[in-house]
Amino acid sequence: LLDRHIYRTVKRLFDIVFSACVVVVGLVPGLLLCLAIRLESPGNPIYVQRRVARITRKGEVRTFPMLEFPQFLNVLAGHLSVVGPRPALPREVDQYDSHAMKRLSVKPGLTCYWQTQGRSDTGFDEMVELDLQYIEERSFLTDLKCIVDTVSVVFTGKGAC
């Protein structure tokens, strides 16, 4: 129990520091990109979508507004972690069975095993199994490995549609 508390505390501190660094580095390019999008098309250049954060002990679905690239702002706000199962849409969660609901037992994240080991090459059941495997194996070293693996698959495009 103490180990879990220490892990969650260290994970949250890491999320804050890592995300703050990404936001600072990406701030000017992000603002320029938003400006370019706004000049080319009407509406908000930042897409916002409701996603499921977790299921409460009472079984209530908690949602949050998830941004696209500025998802690191969601991490700073505490809606997401850098590493954890990707947040699902409410309509997807409505279709979950009790096994799939277990993936909502931890804070969702930007990346996890599914993003590094399968992506669009896997089906729903495989995604759930990868998320549950992460939940069982999670540790600070596992999270760091997921981040490194994510950078690798982003640059290689492995598993992308």
Side-chain angles (χ1 to χ4, degrees), residues 54-125:
R54 296 178 87 165
I55 299 295
T56 67
R57 288 191 174 110
K58 295 179 181 178
E60 299 166 340
V61 175
R62 290 244 170 108
T63 63
F64 68 97
M66 188 170 90
L67 310 168
E68 293 306 74
F69 174 75
Q71 289 175 16
F72 285 100
L73 295 175
N74 287 116
V75 175
L76 285 174
H79 302 137
L80 293 172
S81 182
V82 173
V83 181
R86 288 292 292 162
L89 294 166
R91 70 176 181 266
E92 294 169 336
V93 172
D94 288 343
Q95 298 176 25
Y96 281 11
D97 61 16
S98 60
H99 184 68
M101 289 296 264
K102 293 176 186 173
R103 69 184 297 274
L104 302 176
S105 65
V106 298
K107 185 183 285 190
L110 301 177
T111 189
C112 202
Y113 286 174
W114 177 67
Q115 286 76 22
T116 63
Q117 297 178 25
R119 293 173 81 185
S120 61
D121 293 338
T122 60
F124 177 77
D125 291 336

Side-chain angles (χ1 to χ4, degrees), residues 14-86:
F14 175 82
D15 285 348
I16 292 168
V17 171
F18 186 80
S19 296
C21 290
V22 171
V23 168
V24 167
V25 168
L27 186 63
V28 171
L31 290 174
L32 292 174
L33 183 60
C34 283
L35 179 62
I37 292 169
R38 186 65 179 106
L39 292 173
E40 288 292 318
S41 61
N44 190 341
I46 297 175
Y47 180 74
V48 180
Q49 186 177 52
R50 297 283 323 158
R51 293 289 181 127
V52 174
R54 296 178 87 165
I55 299 295
T56 67
R57 288 191 174 110
K58 295 179 181 178
E60 299 166 340
V61 175
R62 290 244 170 108
T63 63
F64 68 97
M66 188 170 90
L67 310 168
E68 293 306 74
F69 174 75
Q71 289 175 16
F72 285 100
L73 295 175
N74 287 116
V75 175
L76 285 174
H79 302 137
L80 293 172
S81 182
V82 173
V83 181
R86 288 292 292 162

